[in-house]
Amino acid sequence: EDQVTQSPEALRLQEGESSSLNCSYTVSGLRGLFWYRQDPGKGPEFLFTLYSAGEEKEKERLKATLTKKESFLHITAPKPEDSATYLCAVQANQAGTALIFGKGTTLSVSS
Amino acid sequence: DARVTQTPRHKVTEMGQEVTMRCQPILGHNTVFWYRQTMMQGLELLAYFRNRAPLDDSGMPKDRFSAEMPDATLATLKIQPSEPRDSAVYFCASGLEEGGEQFFGPGTRLTVL
């Protein structure tokens, strides 16, 4: 069964304290791995797509990496405005275009 | 800028009533998805369409939920009759099949009393 597990469930950081979020996946053939950001009361906002092991994408203080079994979202020198829930999702070859989401990591950054 | 819109944003209803949620996907997108989000289950896929044709609705309780795309600019999700366990946030998303990325609307927060 295709599955996505994110850890930790919650993460508290001080402003400037870098860290990483983990997304482990089990899928029957990976078409793509997606990272989203979700703010309270809003819909998920697309951040990155990764397609193959070794691929990396960057946007401001965020960098996403991909291996054959997991993805990391690295947050460098976070700011309070980076506080949100970060969702990981995979698209499997057998699932058409449907995404399977993890339950997310809620990040809180305090100044 | 292009974005997915959903109406209503909030809905409070009583058990047994019919609920209809609407979504306008981004113009030009050929795939449309309905998700439900709860604290316990996270984001769950209910149904999705490609070029207005339903491809997968295995995530929906068939006896009470139905999803349609009357035209390319409107997707609907209907619950009849509604139950308290249907209380959740319902998201619509759209995308291009080739790209894989999905763009989400702001959601409809449904409360069934």
Side-chain angles (χ1 to χ4, degrees), chain A residues 31 34 36 38 41-46 48-49 51 87 91 95-103, chain B residues 9 31 33 35 37 40-43 45 48 50 91 97-106 109:
Chain A
R31 286 182 67 182
F34 303 81
Y36 285 81
Q38 186 174 23
K42 297 190 175 181
E45 176 188 346
F46 171 73
F48 303 111
T49 310
Y51 292 105
L87 298 167
Q91 187 178 51
T97 51
L99 296 182
I100 302 165
F101 280 86
K103 293 192 176 180
Chain B
R9 294 294 313 280
T31 56
F33 305 81
Y35 291 90
Q37 187 175 43
M40 291 296 294
Q41 300 298 328
L43 265 171
L45 179 69
Y48 79 96
R50 182 194 301 156
F91 288 104
E97 181 184 4
E98 300 76 28
E101 296 91 348
Q102 297 176 18
F103 298 88
F104 283 74
R109 180 173 295 276

Side-chain angles (χ1 to χ4, degrees), chain B residues 55-112:
Chain B
L55 283 194
D56 184 357
D57 61 1
S58 59
M60 290 201 312
K62 301 287 192 306
D63 56 338
R64 299 186 300 109
F65 284 58
S66 62
E68 296 180 344
M69 279 202 74
D71 61 60
T73 65
L74 177 65
T76 62
L77 179 66
K78 187 177 297 186
I79 308 174
Q80 167 64 19
S82 58
E83 298 181 0
R85 59 179 167 154
D86 300 329
S87 298
V89 182
Y90 291 80
F91 288 104
C92 175
S94 71
L96 292 170
E97 181 184 4
E98 300 76 28
E101 296 91 348
Q102 297 176 18
F103 298 88
F104 283 74
T108 294
R109 180 173 295 276
L110 174 65
T111 303
V112 183

Side-chain angles (χ1 to χ4, degrees), chain A residues 19-21 56 61-65 71-76:
Chain A
S19 188
S20 298
L21 313 182
E56 298 184 353
R61 294 175 294 282
L62 301 177
K63 182 169 79 172
T65 62
S71 176
F72 292 93
L73 185 65
H74 306 279
I75 304 176
T76 302

